[in-house]
Amino acid sequence: MKLKADLHIHTLDDKEDNMVKHNVKEVIDEAQRKNFDVLSITNHNQVDFNAEISIYAENKGIVLLPGVELSVQNKHVLLINPENNLKISSISHLKDIKSDHTLVIAPHPFYPGFHSLSHELEKNIGFFDGIEFCHFYSWFFNFNKKAASLAYENNIPLIGNSDAHELWQIGTTYTLIDAKKDKKSIIRAVKEKKTELVTQPLSGKTILKSIIEIIYAKIKKFRNSSH
């Protein structure tokens, strides 16, 4: 059974991101409208998961996996279904949390920015179960290209995610996972590379609008922090 999945989504509960306006139930409702089967909420440095929201997702036909976008050496790493302490001091220490029950994914690894893994991913490639192919690209630029090459060279699955900060981004890029519709089977299927990337580039107009919104959010955050 091929399950439609997005394993990188942010919500209003994210204390480190001022761009997000939607709550977790709005994410789940939007995902249901777009026929998703699997989601993970991956706010920065916090696991926002509980029985109530898991049941809410289940009632919408969605398997909700615990997740987090963790900062390690100031670089971002996605952990899906983390089991252990999230205080990881070094990228090399990811080997200590690798297990049959947790996915370690490199998000937007070669996108511009201090938080992208970049060469740290290449140096520590053996600790990762997947490399993200992010939705934010177009015909005229695509920072996913190096990620795709690295995944191919190392026989690691490309995981299509939205990294959604707005609801419209959900469904622009996603992954089909060939698995039974339960957490254990989904995680095992990703590790066994039973995945398929589904994606399409954004229009120039959409890219421009998104860049303007990002710049505005950063200016607003800077002004708030300076007061």
Side-chain angles (χ1 to χ4, degrees), residues 106-130:
H108 45 70
F110 297 104
Y111 274 65
F114 296 116
H115 297 305
S116 294
L117 281 159
S118 189
H119 299 302
E120 288 294 331
L121 172 60
E122 296 173 277
K123 286 162 51 180
N124 299 281
I125 193 71
F127 305 145
F128 290 85
D129 300 299

Side-chain angles (χ1 to χ4, degrees), residues 47-222:
V47 178
D48 291 308
F49 182 88
N50 56 51
E52 177 189 355
I53 201 63
S54 179
I55 292 169
Y56 184 86
E58 184 179 351
N59 290 337
K60 301 282 184 173
I62 293 172
V63 177
L64 189 64
L65 303 179
V68 61
E69 186 168 19
L70 192 66
S71 293
V72 183
Q73 293 180 252
N74 204 34
K75 305 295 184 182
H76 286 174
V77 176
L78 287 180
L79 302 181
I80 308 302
N81 197 41
E83 295 182 302
N84 301 318
N85 193 324
L86 297 182
K87 294 181 180 178
I88 302 170
S89 60
S90 169
I91 300 293
S92 63
H93 290 166
L94 290 172
K95 65 179 181 294
D96 299 329
I97 65 167
K98 269 190 74 85
S99 75
D100 293 337
H101 311 291
T102 300
L103 293 174
V104 183
I105 298 172
H108 45 70
F110 297 104
Y111 274 65
F114 296 116
H115 297 305
S116 294
L117 281 159
S118 189
H119 299 302
E120 288 294 331
L121 172 60
E122 296 173 277
K123 286 162 51 180
N124 299 281
I125 193 71
F127 305 145
F128 290 85
D129 300 299
I131 298 176
E132 180 178 89
F133 192 102
C134 184
H135 91 280
F136 190 72
Y137 74 100
S138 72
W139 291 115
F140 54 90
F141 80 90
N142 187 355
F143 296 112
N144 292 301
K145 288 182 177 180
K146 190 170 182 178
S149 296
L150 192 64
Y152 177 78
E153 290 166 7
N154 291 275
N155 194 27
I156 296 173
L158 272 178
I159 306 299
N161 288 327
S162 67
D163 189 7
H165 288 66
E166 297 186 50
L167 291 177
W168 68 263
Q169 295 169 330
I170 298 172
T172 52
T173 291
Y174 57 90
T175 306
L176 294 178
I177 302 174
D178 191 0
K180 296 178 182 178
K181 202 170 182 179
D182 63 77
K183 180 172 67 175
K184 184 177 180 180
S185 297
I186 292 164
I187 290 172
R188 184 172 63 247
V190 174
K191 288 179 178 291
E192 293 176 353
K193 309 173 188 65
K194 296 179 179 179
T195 61
E196 178 184 341
L197 172 69
V198 181
T199 187
Q200 60 180 5
L202 301 178
S203 69
K205 181 179 179 181
T206 300
I207 290 287
L208 181 60
K209 178 176 179 291
S210 297
I211 291 173
I212 291 171
E213 288 172 349
I214 290 169
I215 293 171
Y216 175 77
K218 289 186 179 297
I219 291 172
K220 185 178 179 181
K221 184 176 182 179
F222 174 77

